[in-house]
Amino acid sequence: MPAASSFLSRALDDGAVLRIAAPGDEDGILAAIHALAAYEREPDAVRTTTADLTATLFGDDPKAFAHVIERDGEIRAIAVWFLTFSTWTGRHGIWLEDLFVDEADRGRGYGTALLASLASVALERGYPRLEWTVLDWNAPAVGFYRSIGAEAMDEWTTQRMTGEALTALAAR
């Protein structure tokens, strides 16, 4: 399903533009991903390349999507997302994989603008959920999310399987 909706782009008060990512944005998106990894204390964890982003975001059958905020020719903030599906609602939802605003641009409303754009896409398409995770030690992000009405799913714990455990399970 294409990322496009009635939302295509929006000018922000400071002259920045919030828009759907386009081919050519890969370097800026990747730089934001690296900056997010450093902020989350995992600076060496990113394996994604610009070629990966090109294929995933802009290939013949995109599996993930991105909205960006660009100011003065530079990507200053990103929201990378993909579709989920709930068997309980019988509907897709949006999973926000990464939300990042350059440290110098925090407080400009970019995070709110990006999340509002995703909320608009969700509502337009009839998706009842916009979900994401946040590190429990990231108090500024947790506070921001509470301020816009997000609720913690305290009874749910994210599970992950990688590496040897993934390989061993696949071999069963």
Side-chain angles (χ1 to χ4, degrees):
M1 178 174 280
S5 66
S6 64
F7 166 79
L8 295 175
S9 70
R10 176 167 75 101
L12 303 178
D13 292 341
D14 66 353
V17 175
L18 186 159
R19 60 178 174 77
I20 294 171
D25 289 337
E26 296 90 341
D27 288 337
I29 294 169
L30 186 56
I33 291 168
H34 278 283
L36 176 60
Y39 178 80
E40 291 183 349
R41 305 173 187 164
E42 295 279 347
D44 299 321
V46 177
R47 300 287 177 257
T48 304
T49 66
T50 55
D52 293 332
L53 292 174
T54 299
T56 300
L57 298 173
F58 310 118
D60 291 337
D61 187 21
K63 300 297 183 198
F65 312 98
H67 291 187
V68 299
I69 293 181
E70 181 179 12
R71 194 179 77 241
D72 299 327
E74 288 185 31
I75 292 178
R76 309 301 299 166
I78 63 167
V80 178
W81 58 279
F82 57 90
L83 296 182
T84 61
F85 180 76
S86 168
T87 58
W88 290 14
T89 67
R91 303 271 185 273
H92 284 290
I94 290 177
W95 183 268
L96 174 61
E97 179 66 16
D98 285 338
L99 176 68
F100 181 77
V101 177
D102 187 271
E103 189 172 355
D105 293 302
R106 292 182 190 150
R108 293 178 177 262
Y110 292 177
T112 302
L114 284 164
L115 286 169
S117 72
L118 296 184
S120 293
V121 171
L123 290 175
E124 178 179 295
R125 295 181 183 180
Y127 302 163
R129 295 179 179 173
L130 169 58
E131 299 174 297
W132 63 92
T133 58
V134 61
L135 292 165
D136 58 5
W137 57 259
N138 191 347
V142 171
F144 166 63
Y145 296 143
R146 295 299 165 270
S147 78
I148 61 169
E151 297 178 13
M153 302 296 293
D154 292 330
E155 295 177 357
W156 295 85
T157 302
T158 301
Q159 303 295 302
R160 178 175 293 161
M161 186 171 276
T162 62
E164 290 179 24
L166 185 65
T167 302
L169 181 60
R172 285 186 173 189

